[in-house]
Amino acid sequence: EVQLVESGGGLVQPGGSLRLSCAASGFTFSSYWMHWVRQAPGKGLVWVSRINTDGSTTSYADSVKGRFTISRDNAKNTLYLQMNSLRAEDTAVYYCSRKTAGTSPYYFDSWGQGTLVTVSS
Amino acid sequence: DIQMTQSPSSLSASVGDRVTITCRASQTISNYLNWYQQKPGKAPNLLIYAASSLQSGVPSRFSGSGSGTDFTLTVSSLQPEDFATYYCQQSYTTPWTFGQGTAVEF
């Protein structure tokens, strides 16, 4: 069974940093592109970042570019999101998600349960 | 970025109703359109991928159609467990963007 379990969320002051983790199991982690998607309280889903299978290619939403860094450790089956210079508007539940492998069209076929990040003084 | 616009933003329905949600892309996305269902406090769950393909395990009362810029999600006979928020999402180009969501309520 595919499982994605996020951790690392919490309360942080504006300007602070946090690192989220997403532990993957039940599939060959190194074969899949992985993404982070966030959802502010009471709002919709917003794509944040993605990383390819070996970590050599990454992309970011404009709203987090230069502040967030996505990475992965395929030996540990874990995806990360390093978040620096946090702002109040980064407050959200952060989901890791798996992009389906194979041919396009692509979609997110698995999601974690999410971890809440609250940026407040 | 490709903008995804859903309508309506919310709707009231009853068990047994036929419900249709529309999603419009700001530029053509072929069939690179997916639909997700989200219940309060839970992660999204894939319903439809590639505009019209039903994800394994999803009830057949859900269906999707469309291509290019205009897409629809239809629930043929609404069940109590279908009261949720539905999102469309394009995977044609990065950044993958979502619609604002459609809340299906009593």
Side-chain angles (χ1 to χ4, degrees), chain B residues 72-86:
Chain B
T72 61
L73 172 71
T74 299
V75 187
S76 60
S77 179
L78 203 65
Q79 297 302 299
E81 60 268 30
D82 301 336
F83 290 90
T85 300
Y86 295 84

Side-chain angles (χ1 to χ4, degrees), chain A residues 48-68:
Chain A
V48 173
S49 182
R50 71 171 185 184
I51 189 167
N52 70 339
T53 55
D54 65 5
S56 60
T57 300
T58 59
S59 300
Y60 300 91
D62 286 345
S63 59
V64 307
K65 201 172 295 182
R67 300 187 299 121
F68 289 12

Side-chain angles (χ1 to χ4, degrees), chain A residues 73-85:
Chain A
D73 185 334
N74 287 340
K76 294 183 177 180
N77 292 336
T78 303
L79 173 72
Y80 301 101
L81 186 67
Q82 177 67 44
M83 305 186 295
N84 299 330
S85 303

Side-chain angles (χ1 to χ4, degrees), chain A residues 5-118:
Chain A
V5 180
E6 300 95 336
S7 61
L11 175 63
V12 61
Q13 292 188 338
S17 298
L18 215 52
R19 187 175 85 155
L20 306 183
S21 301
C22 171
S25 60
F27 65 101
T28 304
F29 179 69
S30 59
S31 296
Y32 288 82
W33 289 55
M34 298 295 295
H35 295 240
W36 288 98
V37 175
R38 70 184 181 183
Q39 186 170 37
K43 302 296 185 181
L45 300 165
V46 177
W47 177 83
V48 173
S49 182
R50 71 171 185 184
I51 189 167
N52 70 339
T53 55
D54 65 5
S56 60
T57 300
T58 59
S59 300
Y60 300 91
D62 286 345
S63 59
V64 307
K65 201 172 295 182
R67 300 187 299 121
F68 289 12
T69 302
I70 191 172
S71 62
R72 64 191 299 161
D73 185 334
N74 287 340
K76 294 183 177 180
N77 292 336
T78 303
L79 173 72
Y80 301 101
L81 186 67
Q82 177 67 44
M83 305 186 295
N84 299 330
S85 303
L86 283 161
R87 307 166 180 167
E89 55 264 35
D90 296 317
T91 294
V93 173
Y94 286 73
Y95 295 101
C96 67
S97 56
R98 186 181 82 167
K99 188 196 85 169
T100 187
T103 57
S104 59
Y106 299 112
Y107 48 92
F108 296 128
D109 63 357
S110 294
W111 297 69
Q113 85 289 350
T115 187
L116 175 62
V117 173
T118 303

